[in-house]
Amino acid sequence: MTEPAIIKLTIDGKDVETAAGTSVLQAALDAGIYIPHLCHHPDLTPIGACGLCIVEIERHEEPAPSCVTPAETNMKVTTKTEKTEKLRRLALELMLAGHPADCGTCEKYLNCELQSIKQYLGCEELSVKRRSKLLPVNSSNPLFVHDPNKCVVCGRCVRACRELRGVGVLFYQKKGRETLTGTGADLPLADAGCRFCGACAEVCPTGAIQDKDESARGKNRKRILIPCRYNCPAEIDVPRYIRLVKEGDYTGAVAVIREKVPLPGVLGYICDHVCEEVCRRDEVNEAVSIKDLKRFAVEHDEQRLWEKNLKKKPATGKKIAVIGSGPAGLTAAYYLNNLGHAVTVFEALPEAGGMIRYGIPDYRLPKEVLDSEINDIINRGVAIKTDSRVDSLDMLFNDGFQAVLVTIGTQKGQKLAVPGADNEGVLVGIDFLMDVNTGRQVAIGDKAVVLGGGKVAFDCARTARRLGAGQVNIACVECREEMPATTEEIAQGEEEGVRIYPAKNARRILTQDGRITGVELLDVASASFNEENRLHIEIVENSEHVMEADTVIFAIGQQPDVPAGFDIETGPNRLVTIDEFSYSTSREEVFAAGDAVSGATSVIKAIASGRKAATSIDRYLGGNGIIDEKLITPEEPESCLGFEEGFASIKRGARDVVPVEERLKSFCQVAADLDEEAAAHESRRCLQCDLRLKITSVKFWGSY
Amino acid sequence: MNYEQVLAKAKRECKDGDRKGVAGPQHKIALRNCGYIDAESIYEYISHAQGYRGLAEALNVSRADVIEELRKAGLRGRGGGGYPAADKWKTCLETGEDEKYVLCNAFDSDPKSHIARLLLEGDPHSVLEGMLIGAYAVGAGHGFLCVNAENITVIDRLEKALKQMQKNSLLGEKILDSGFNFDIEIKGVAASLVSGEETALIRLLEDKQAMPYRRTVYPAVAGINEKPTLVNNAETLSHVSAIFQNGAAWYAGIGTEKSRGTKVLTITGDMVNSDTIEDPFGTTIRATIQHSGNDINITDIKAIQFGGPTGTFLGPDSLDTPIAFETISEIGGIMASGTIEVFDNSHCAVAMARNAIDYIESQSCGKCTFCREGSLQMADILKDISENKGKPEDLELLLELGEAMATGSICGLGKTAPNPVLSSIRLFRGDYDTHINEKTCLKK
């Protein structure tokens, strides 16, 4: 006679129904009846090792471990009898006997399953002998600490590693009298083939295996455990798209990226990749090339799945004007248009794109990529009016726009107020770049000095080299480690012959006969920004020296140029003041976002700002502000990773770049394209930190 | 080749005319050929020792009939549990699966017992033939022979044996011209007391750590990779080949009603010359010791530990107990490996128990709380008692720990681990009381 699909049994007098094949323990827990357990975990095969889940079953001679006893029809289970309580208590005491007695100093305090069960059973005094295991704590591995003194040999880590992840680098071991878990031959995790997925730490019920970073246990553990995603200003689901690239589903990867940002190709070239700076893989060896994988996915997306799944809401009848077609403006326009509003973007310059087009040189971002993505936005229904500078907002309201978003960025570059700064050979970096990017002739001498240490400074310096300047120096007040430019830009700049002089302050520009001859510099002892974001520099006395120059380019910062006719409040550095929650300016129906509000930051931050502004504006106009969309059916990621020899030592793929001599001849793209093999290699390096949060959480007894 | 052809070839190939020496006494079954034939010659086994005739007989009848014959013989497993072999074979045959395995446990986990080693070094084919008969009966296609990895002679002889079988239609496809196909793989196992547990071996063969697991179904139903696996001890299989060579009726006439056949026993300890002998079930412990040529003064015996490292201590009055599954368990003992260790009166029971539990603690695989921590606690308590630091409550605690280990452990090792300590307390309470209350040892 075969067992029916649903089993009916009684637990503690309560009628319980469960599917055939379920253990008595799982049936009880599902029905809200708590039976203490430690080695049991909902995602792992039960082994009946800890001894805690003992129950008595009618017609069974001996008490049985309920986690490995299949529920049977008409079974009568009693979870608490004299016999079970005696055995259960003894099992706990035996585990506590070798366990450190002081809960208060342990990082797992109040988050420890053993402690919770100890409280539940009310076990303070032990009838068995205590001992100290005196096993060494291992903090020599990246990311995780192993303290075998706290191990209760539940075996969850061994099962999680082998069964759940298919890796199997943890084994039961005996050291002297003590049993613990560890790698074969006590190899470091990296050498044993560990994939640093964190499943072991996730399932460990005590403090035996923990994340090194304490905050990984707190309320905001997502930020620490999946730092790439949660440090991205737009919260792009990085592990998910890397996984899709690994699986060869490039169109799926792009769909994931586009769920958060409308300019993935642009970002794939020039994003300053905060994600890579916090990538957990970096603790193992080197960060994953997340930005390059984004670019690769975009370049190989043939099916454009995202486009097929985009849904545009019905027309709301509302009209919104966006001023400025940089990343913030384009992003907000895109989302507001998707929500059904009629959006018109007003762009003062001849082409759309803002700083992306006019501030970033071609060798960093081929403009076809930007053009294509702007076209995608226009094709969704966004109207972009170029050569249309707006000086007064009232005109827009008279024309029937119900809300205006100011995303004019920071186009006004500054010069230092030093003697000689108004000489005609002194250029403002951002204007210089704009001139070059619009094809105008720019006079540049042979010895250029760029003042500033950020992206604009490097763009200027490297552009100057391409325009023929023989000697290009960058001087900035920051020390090398603090320079805001990315490591790639600095490295590529130096390869192209740009010389970098950090920790220098410019005192004056020297001229002779109206022509620049040099810059007088002082050494900087320290430079820091105070609370009001003002730079405080300490210079070294008597350190004046002159750097030769015939051209000086200031790239020390930019401010927005807000027309008076906007009639909105601005604050320090001429930035537009907004309410941090609603993004509205001093005028209720006028909103602002992007660099115009925050000062010059990055494209991704501007995009994130545009998203938030769109949300806010939609709500203002009566919508629900939900701009999130599903561009790809959610997939359940494969939890089995498999064993890969030498996983931890797979090096980050070398970024192929065009040879220097080639680069300086033109503004051709510097970064070489990734091929499929390189993309597969790189995406495989990802630790897939997000898988860990898919492991079922164990409920403590208070939740039953 | 069919059996007649193989037999004819074997007779031709044998250099000597017949078995060396005199055939052993009737009561040797497992060890019947050890020392009398060349262990490296399949032809001597076939020509002089009815080798593979049992298989030939079995192949002539249906699987169900083979199992019925085994049932009539009344063979019980020699691995320690004493489970009726025919019942196990029947369970395995009746699973609907196509892919089945035979696992021959030829690992001597008791360090003082060498039965499997003797069999495989002296007469490997008696075990191999048993494996084939079992495989045919249940419908298995692949077999594993688990041996101590350190025993190079055994592995060497087995490899030779398998090659010879292959050459003579006794392994691989169409065995003895029948439709039965079977092949055998030798698996070396690291030495440890727990390695003899069948569930640990199953895990090892699945490429996992060799640690026991709690089974919800018998391995005969679901074992290696969830496939039906017939697990039999090497000694058991050597009986199987004998049964099918000589007939169930012959076998059923040896031993007792409930424990048919013979058992290989190891005599060791004080006052005796260590020996391995084979006696029919029903022989008393005293008689067995005497059969091994040891003439000892019973009054000098303090205790006997029967069944290996986790066997119980039995008092001198147990010497007249017939050795059989039912009789040994009646006096609170376990058959296990059938090792009889003699302790003379120079020992203190506390020291005996301490040695026993120390060894068990070192061999515990560590997986389950009760065995791992329980044996450690017991060892620490015994240490305290033997060093005169013990307390009266300690005995209660030992009992409590023992009960928990017997109920809650995953495998046989853990379940029987308390036996030596608890039985020593039962028999020699005085020794304990002297240590605890008088802080001294009776034997000093």
Side-chain angles (χ1 to χ4, degrees):
Chain A
M1 191 188 79
T2 48
E3 275 284 356
I6 301 284
I7 311 257
K8 293 192 183 160
L9 65 156
T10 326
I11 304 180
D12 289 344
K14 184 171 165 181
D15 286 326
V16 172
E17 271 186 27
T18 187
T22 317
S23 67
V24 170
L25 174 64
Q26 194 62 59
L29 297 176
D30 290 342
I33 301 170
Y34 178 68
I35 305 176
H37 55 277
L38 255 184
C39 65
H40 166 90
H41 186 283
D43 295 357
L44 306 171
T45 352
I47 57 172
C50 71
L52 290 174
C53 68
I54 303 243
V55 296
E56 286 215 68
I57 304 174
E58 208 178 74
R59 282 196 304 270
H60 284 227
E61 254 187 61
E62 295 287 357
S66 55
C67 64
V68 287
T69 308
E72 282 165 29
T73 313
N74 294 333
M75 229 183 197
K76 284 195 178 44
V77 179
T78 318
T79 66
K80 287 199 183 77
T81 67
E82 204 187 305
K83 239 185 184 178
T84 66
E85 290 321 280
K86 202 164 148 212
L87 281 168
R88 199 185 324 282
R89 197 189 183 74
L90 184 59
L92 182 65
E93 287 192 15
L94 287 172
M95 282 186 269
L96 290 172
H99 196 88
D102 187 7
C103 284
T105 53
C106 176
E107 302 86 5
K108 200 88 176 179
Y109 185 62
L110 296 183
N111 199 21
C112 169
E113 291 180 54
L114 182 69
Q115 181 190 22
S116 159
I117 294 172
K118 186 172 151 217
Q119 283 170 354
Y120 178 79
L121 291 179
C123 180
E124 284 303 330
E125 291 288 317
L126 301 189
S127 54
V128 294
K129 202 163 123 165
R130 279 194 194 271
R131 70 184 187 280
S132 294
K133 292 185 185 176
L134 299 176
L135 295 166
V137 176
N138 186 354
S139 347
S140 65
N141 289 304
L143 297 173
F144 304 110
V145 186
H146 288 235
D147 183 355
N149 297 295
K150 296 183 180 161
C151 179
V152 287
V153 201
C154 70
R156 280 187 190 172
C157 56
V158 176
R159 279 173 286 151
C161 189
R162 178 174 288 279
E163 282 173 25
L164 190 60
R165 293 281 182 259
V167 181
V169 301
L170 291 176
F171 302 93
Y172 288 89
Q173 289 179 343
K174 230 170 161 175
K175 287 205 160 74
R177 302 176 93 200
E178 302 297 346
T179 308
L180 54 147
T181 61
T183 53
D186 278 334
L187 286 171
L189 287 175
D191 295 340
C194 175
R195 298 189 67 124
F196 295 94
C197 69
C200 54
E202 195 65 23
V203 299
C204 180
T206 67
I209 303 182
Q210 293 193 76
D211 296 276
K212 271 186 172 167
D213 190 336
E214 279 180 22
S215 357
R217 293 155 222 143
K219 284 218 173 92
N220 285 322
R221 51 197 312 252
K222 281 199 308 204
R223 270 196 85 82
I224 306 291
L225 292 181
I226 316 178
C228 51
R229 178 175 185 182
Y230 293 100
N231 279 288
C232 171
E235 275 190 23
I236 298 176
D237 194 341
V238 175
R240 191 174 168 206
Y241 87 73
I242 293 182
R243 185 175 303 124
L244 289 167
V245 171
K246 183 179 74 147
E247 292 167 9
D249 184 359
Y250 309 135
T251 194
V254 174
V256 169
I257 299 165
R258 273 187 173 269
E259 280 187 359
K260 295 293 185 187
V261 294
L263 300 165
V266 168
L267 291 170
Y269 274 90
I270 53 86
C271 188
D272 59 355
H273 52 69
V274 181
C275 50
E276 292 186 26
E277 312 305 326
V278 295
C279 175
R280 276 159 70 90
R281 175 87 200 199
D282 195 52
E283 301 287 324
V284 177
N285 62 347
E286 299 156 307
V288 176
S289 298
I290 302 173
K291 182 188 85 171
D292 287 345
L293 287 172
K294 182 185 275 98
R295 195 176 122 210
F296 173 84
V298 172
E299 285 169 2
H300 288 76
D301 178 9
E302 279 152 38
Q303 293 109 307
R304 290 168 73 95
L305 177 67
W306 64 271
E307 204 167 38
K308 298 190 182 113
N309 286 334
L310 258 180
K311 289 181 187 40
K312 189 169 162 176
K313 290 231 194 106
T316 60
K318 307 279 198 235
K319 280 172 72 174
I320 304 173
V322 175
I323 307 178
S325 65
L330 286 174
T331 301
Y334 173 83
Y335 285 112
L336 287 167
N337 172 70
N338 281 352
L339 289 172
H341 305 300
V343 184
T344 308
V345 181
F346 293 92
E347 170 54 54
L349 294 169
E351 287 182 270
M355 255 342 144
I356 305 177
R357 181 180 303 283
Y358 293 102
I360 298 178
D362 285 347
Y363 62 80
R364 279 217 290 139
L365 173 65
K367 291 306 184 290
E368 312 85 72
V369 178
L370 176 64
D371 290 337
S372 157
E373 290 189 338
I374 290 178
N375 272 337
D376 285 336
I377 294 175
I378 294 173
N379 287 340
R380 302 300 310 163
V382 173
I384 302 184
K385 291 197 158 88
T386 52
D387 282 315
S388 306
R389 187 184 162 88
V390 173
D391 281 305
S392 148
L393 300 185
D394 295 322
M395 261 173 42
L396 294 173
F397 289 115
N398 288 340
D399 279 344
F401 288 101
Q402 278 109 343
V404 172
L405 174 62
V406 174
T407 46
I408 56 177
T410 51
Q411 326 114 10
K412 243 190 144 63
Q414 272 108 39
K415 289 186 187 184
L416 278 178
V418 295
D422 42 11
N423 184 289
E424 67 173 14
V426 175
L427 306 173
V428 173
I430 197 70
D431 294 336
F432 167 64
L433 290 174
M434 262 202 217
D435 283 342
V436 173
N437 282 332
T438 44
R440 282 190 217 119
Q441 276 289 62
V442 184
I444 191 126
D446 186 55
K447 297 194 175 72
V449 170
V450 178
L451 296 171
K455 302 186 203 76
V456 177
F458 273 83
D459 283 341
C460 291
R462 295 168 71 189
T463 298
R465 283 289 286 147
R466 283 161 173 78
L467 291 178
Q471 178 184 297
V472 177
N473 294 342
I474 283 183
C476 59
V477 299
E478 297 93 344
C479 62
R480 202 173 242 272
E481 295 75 41
E482 301 276 305
M483 288 170 67
T486 65
T487 35
E488 289 107 69
E489 290 175 299
I490 298 175
Q492 287 169 9
E494 285 188 302
E495 282 164 20
E496 290 162 10
V498 173
R499 297 229 218 105
I500 302 175
Y501 295 88
K504 303 275 184 218
N505 190 31
R507 160 100 62 83
R508 95 177 102 211
I509 296 170
L510 307 164
T511 58
Q512 189 168 35
D513 299 327
R515 275 198 290 226
I516 300 175
T517 56
V519 182
E520 188 181 277
L521 299 169
L522 290 153
D523 289 335
V524 170
S526 75
S528 55
F529 284 92
N530 66 7
E531 305 88 48
E532 283 139 38
N533 234 13
R534 298 205 84 121
L535 187 57
H536 177 76
I537 306 172
E538 236 183 74
I539 55 171
V540 176
E541 297 282 316
N542 298 321
S543 61
E544 296 84 353
H545 55 284
V546 173
M547 184 179 278
E548 265 194 285
D550 54 29
T551 313
V552 174
I553 305 178
F554 276 105
I556 55 165
Q558 294 132 240
Q559 291 179 349
D561 179 20
V562 183
F566 280 21
D567 202 14
I568 53 177
E569 222 180 82
T570 58
N573 294 331
R574 300 214 181 89
L575 299 173
V576 178
T577 22
I578 54 164
D579 173 276
E580 63 175 306
F581 295 110
S582 68
Y583 277 68
S584 62
T585 64
S586 52
R587 291 172 73 169
E588 195 199 1
E589 61 283 3
V590 178
F591 299 80
D595 282 1
V597 170
S598 58
T601 55
S602 62
V603 171
I604 185 67
K605 281 203 175 128
I607 291 175
S609 179
R611 280 177 59 91
K612 296 204 184 90
T615 302
S616 208
I617 294 172
D618 183 60
R619 280 205 216 108
Y620 170 75
L621 293 175
N624 59 16
I626 297 178
I627 60 172
D628 274 328
E629 45 200 354
K630 287 236 172 321
L631 298 178
I632 167 176
T633 357
E635 73 285 357
E636 203 43 58
E638 178 61 64
S639 59
C640 178
L641 299 178
F643 180 82
E644 199 182 316
E645 183 82 50
F647 172 77
S649 47
I650 304 176
K651 287 181 122 18
R652 178 174 158 127
R655 275 319 121 233
D656 273 337
V657 287
V658 171
V660 179
E661 319 77 59
E662 285 301 314
R663 286 189 239 166
L664 292 177
K665 287 187 200 150
S666 72
F667 282 72
C668 67
Q669 163 187 332
V670 169
D673 294 327
L674 266 179
D675 61 19
E676 267 195 80
E677 203 191 305
H681 166 103
E682 193 62 30
S683 55
R684 261 174 47 226
R685 296 178 68 241
C686 174
L687 302 182
Q688 300 195 60
C689 302
D690 62 334
L691 284 184
R692 177 173 170 174
L693 294 182
K694 300 219 189 288
I695 295 177
T696 316
S697 307
V698 176
K699 283 177 7 184
F700 285 37
W701 65 269
S703 317
Y704 285 93
Chain B
M1 288 186 281
N2 64 26
Y3 177 66
E4 275 69 40
Q5 292 167 320
V6 172
L7 181 58
K9 177 179 175 190
K11 286 196 193 299
R12 285 196 307 272
E13 295 286 339
C14 277
K15 307 215 171 51
D16 302 331
D18 204 341
R19 284 161 72 101
K20 295 181 262 297
V22 181
Q26 279 301 311
H27 58 246
K28 271 202 194 182
I29 299 183
L31 299 176
R32 60 193 181 277
N33 297 319
C34 292
Y36 298 111
I37 58 169
D38 178 357
E40 300 194 4
S41 166
I42 194 175
Y43 301 118
E44 287 204 12
Y45 179 69
I46 296 171
S47 165
H48 304 333
Q50 301 196 91
Y52 291 104
R53 196 185 113 176
L55 176 65
E57 299 284 334
L59 290 172
N60 279 335
V61 299
S62 74
R63 299 184 207 271
D65 284 343
V66 170
I67 296 177
E68 181 55 28
E69 184 74 1
L70 192 67
R71 196 193 58 77
K72 285 200 199 120
L75 174 65
R76 291 173 73 160
R78 297 296 193 262
Y83 192 78
D87 289 352
K88 191 186 279 192
W89 289 26
K90 185 157 186 273
T91 306
C92 192
L93 172 65
E94 285 172 358
T95 65
E97 287 277 344
D98 277 334
E99 196 184 330
K100 295 181 193 172
Y101 299 104
V102 173
L103 199 175
C104 170
N105 188 346
F107 183 87
D108 291 312
S109 41
D110 175 355
K112 297 195 169 120
S113 168
H114 309 284
I115 304 173
R117 201 194 92 203
L118 283 171
L119 276 173
L120 294 178
E121 279 184 13
D123 186 14
H125 289 285
S126 66
V127 176
L128 292 164
E129 181 177 354
M131 254 181 109
L132 260 68
I133 296 171
Y136 170 67
V138 303
H142 190 89
F144 296 96
L145 188 42
C146 296
V147 299
N148 188 328
E150 291 167 25
N151 200 322
I152 306 173
T153 315
V154 162
I155 294 177
D156 199 46
R157 291 211 169 145
L158 281 173
E159 280 170 2
K160 283 201 175 95
L162 293 180
K163 279 204 187 85
Q164 292 179 336
M165 285 166 80
Q166 191 85 38
K167 268 202 231 141
N168 291 286
S169 287
L170 288 163
L171 198 61
E173 298 193 3
K174 294 204 178 65
I175 293 177
L176 288 183
D177 282 354
S178 73
F180 173 47
N181 306 330
F182 190 66
D183 66 83
I184 296 176
E185 208 179 299
I186 304 168
K187 185 80 181 175
V189 178
S192 155
L193 189 57
V194 88
S195 301
E197 291 287 331
E198 65 179 5
T199 55
L201 287 175
I202 288 173
R203 280 290 180 256
L204 181 70
L205 290 169
E206 291 172 339
D207 270 326
K208 300 178 184 150
Q209 262 185 298
M211 294 171 84
Y213 64 88
R214 278 193 201 274
R215 47 171 182 72
T216 47
V217 291
Y218 287 119
V221 175
I224 300 170
N225 296 327
E226 301 296 311
K227 300 292 178 203
T229 306
L230 179 65
V231 183
N232 272 133
N233 181 276
E235 192 183 348
T236 313
L237 291 174
S238 69
H239 283 247
V240 169
S241 53
I243 289 169
F244 284 87
Q245 285 162 5
N246 298 303
W250 157 81
Y251 191 83
I254 304 172
T256 71
E257 176 73 43
K258 295 204 183 124
S259 301
R260 298 270 165 81
T262 57
K263 179 80 187 77
V264 179
L265 303 153
T266 310
I267 319 288
T268 182
D270 299 330
M271 304 188 289
V272 295
N273 296 320
S274 295
D275 201 0
T276 303
I277 70 165
E278 189 171 358
D279 263 337
F281 278 126
T283 314
T284 63
I285 300 179
R286 184 200 299 268
T288 285
I289 294 176
Q290 283 165 348
H291 282 174
S292 71
N294 281 300
D295 197 11
I296 54 172
N297 194 346
I298 304 303
T299 52
D300 291 336
I301 295 182
K302 180 177 178 108
I304 289 173
Q305 190 181 16
F306 194 102
T310 61
T312 50
F313 288 112
L314 306 168
D317 48 326
S318 68
L319 281 163
D320 289 313
T321 312
I323 300 174
F325 290 103
E326 64 277 14
T327 45
I328 294 293
S329 76
E330 245 169 68
I331 59 166
I334 57 171
M335 181 66 67
S337 57
T339 298
I340 303 170
E341 184 163 356
V342 181
F343 291 85
D344 66 22
N345 278 315
S346 71
H347 294 278
C348 164
V350 175
M352 284 158 58
R354 186 182 169 187
N355 277 341
I357 193 67
D358 279 350
Y359 177 69
I360 290 167
E361 190 238 319
S362 75
Q363 297 297 301
S364 168
C365 76
K367 188 171 174 185
C368 65
T369 308
F370 287 121
C371 173
R372 174 187 76 246
E373 303 290 335
S375 61
L376 200 149
Q377 290 286 340
M378 275 194 159
D380 281 352
I381 295 172
L382 260 302
K383 177 169 189 276
D384 279 349
I385 295 177
S386 76
E387 289 175 359
N388 301 325
K389 298 184 197 140
K391 301 184 290 288
E393 310 84 85
D394 287 343
L395 293 182
E396 248 180 74
L397 187 51
L398 285 172
L399 279 164
E400 205 187 319
L401 287 168
E403 260 178 57
M405 287 162 78
T407 322
S409 300
I410 290 179
C411 78
L413 190 160
K415 288 190 166 59
T416 54
N419 286 349
V421 172
L422 297 187
S423 57
S424 72
I425 296 176
R426 265 197 314 271
L427 283 175
F428 304 109
R429 185 57 184 264
D431 292 19
Y432 282 85
D433 286 338
T434 308
H435 272 279
I436 293 173
N437 300 326
E438 289 158 48
K439 306 293 181 201
T440 182
C441 177
L442 273 175
K443 299 302 170 187
K444 283 291 175 283

